Amino acid sequence: MTERTPLIAGNWKMNLDHLQSIALIQKLAWTLIEKSHDFKDVEVCVIPPFTALRSAQTLIDAEKFELSIGAQDISKHKAGAYTGEISGQMLSKLAVKYVVVGHSERRQYHGESDELVRDKVAACFASGLIPIICVGETQEQLESHGPSAIPVRQTLEALKGHESLKEFVVAYEPVWAIGTGQIASPEQADQVAAEVRSAILGEHGELAEQVRILYGGSVKAGNVASFMQGPNIDGVLVGGASLDSDEFAGISRYKKHIVL
């Protein structure tokens, strides 16, 4: 019997300076506390820009908020002459727990390949960080290959060649649904998650039962329940809606446990 605790993660992208981040975290945390949110029942993670990570860590530690912290990217390198890059060791020192890896915006705007995503997953493992491996298809890929072929391939490529697999999360984000107002149907999202889980099972065995698979793409408090009710969706990766503390708190308040 394997129980997977839902994960609600807010990716702030390139928004909010450190002062704005502090204000948002304070309001989010106190809203959830006032509503008696059980953070062990549903894990809530904030993923601010790099410039706000130290402020987020200091606030969360000082106030003893039970929020997790994530980072939006990681370098494949441990250290060295790599201007502008951020290493896993730097992130782990800031109490970062999760790292978004292979987001479609990184793949699109920075040309990140499956090989580079794999290297970044390895960097997470080496520093004791949990990668949130983003996978998803464009509209063109959806029409050419169907909804699951690209996410399955990207997932298996990210997991290939590691000496051993440590904890990781997969986030299915159909590229055509990110920030567009369009969403995959809950049935379609759960089916893709099921096929991703099945592929992990085929390559890596029972580990697949422990992997949390998130859905992302125009998620809001009004539609999160429809996605979370599927047996294979274990949480959501939220973009724009996570910048509104009330909206993000509403998303986080949806409870679900899955027992296999």
Side-chain angles (χ1 to χ4, degrees):
M1 301 285 285
T2 300
E3 185 175 285
R4 301 191 295 267
T5 301
L7 172 62
I8 310 298
N11 178 16
W12 298 354
K13 305 188 180 185
M14 196 176 70
N15 293 291
L16 307 186
D17 59 33
H18 73 289
L19 295 175
Q20 293 169 321
S21 298
I22 288 171
L24 179 54
I25 290 172
Q26 286 176 320
K27 188 173 181 182
L28 171 65
W30 283 112
T31 298
L32 291 172
I33 290 169
E34 288 169 0
K35 293 181 180 295
S36 301
H37 181 80
D38 186 345
F39 291 91
K40 294 181 176 61
D41 192 47
V42 178
E43 184 178 6
V44 181
C45 176
V46 293
I47 310 176
F50 286 129
T51 53
L53 284 175
R54 174 57 172 162
S55 298
Q57 178 220 5
T58 301
L59 173 63
I60 289 171
D61 287 350
E63 298 291 340
K64 295 182 170 55
F65 292 146
E66 296 183 81
L67 299 171
S68 298
I69 304 175
Q72 296 182 19
D73 193 22
I74 187 174
S75 175
K76 71 175 185 177
H77 304 288
K78 292 182 179 180
Y82 303 103
T83 300
E85 302 227 3
I86 305 294
S87 73
Q89 183 180 23
M90 294 173 181
L91 297 176
S92 64
K93 292 293 185 181
L94 289 173
V96 166
K97 182 176 180 180
Y98 297 98
V99 180
V100 176
V101 175
H103 193 280
S104 62
E105 291 159 0
R106 299 293 307 179
R107 295 179 191 261
Q108 178 181 356
Y109 302 133
H110 299 272
E112 293 197 359
S113 64
D114 288 339
E115 181 180 10
L116 179 55
V117 172
R118 186 187 315 134
D119 289 342
K120 290 186 174 186
V121 170
C124 288
F125 289 161
S127 296
L129 303 166
I130 301 173
I132 298 177
I133 303 168
C134 295
V135 300
E137 75 287 354
T138 64
Q139 184 66 41
E140 181 179 0
Q141 290 169 330
L142 175 65
E143 294 170 357
S144 300
H145 304 287
S148 61
I150 300 301
V152 166
R153 177 184 64 77
Q154 290 175 334
T155 300
L156 295 182
E157 286 295 321
L159 301 178
K160 184 185 298 183
H162 302 288
E163 185 173 326
S164 63
L165 291 179
K166 301 180 182 178
E167 184 177 357
F168 64 92
V169 176
V170 176
Y172 169 53
E173 290 196 305
V175 179
W176 49 268
I178 299 175
T180 64
Q182 301 182 67
I183 57 173
S185 71
E187 295 77 17
Q188 179 184 350
D190 193 73
Q191 181 60 35
V192 172
E195 295 193 32
V196 168
R197 194 180 304 283
S198 178
I200 297 172
L201 178 66
E203 293 287 333
H204 304 285
E206 293 182 0
L207 173 68
E209 295 183 359
Q210 303 170 22
V211 175
R212 288 178 289 179
I213 300 179
L214 315 182
Y215 173 75
S218 300
V219 175
K220 299 179 180 179
N223 63 26
V224 64
S226 63
F227 290 102
M228 293 285 286
Q229 67 187 3
N232 289 287
I233 301 293
D234 309 308
V236 288
L237 181 59
V238 187
S242 68
L243 298 173
D244 182 319
S245 60
D246 291 331
E247 182 75 12
F248 191 41
I251 294 170
S252 302
R253 291 290 295 145
Y254 182 77
K255 294 186 177 183
K256 170 186 175 180
H257 274 301
I258 303 174
V259 179
L260 300 181

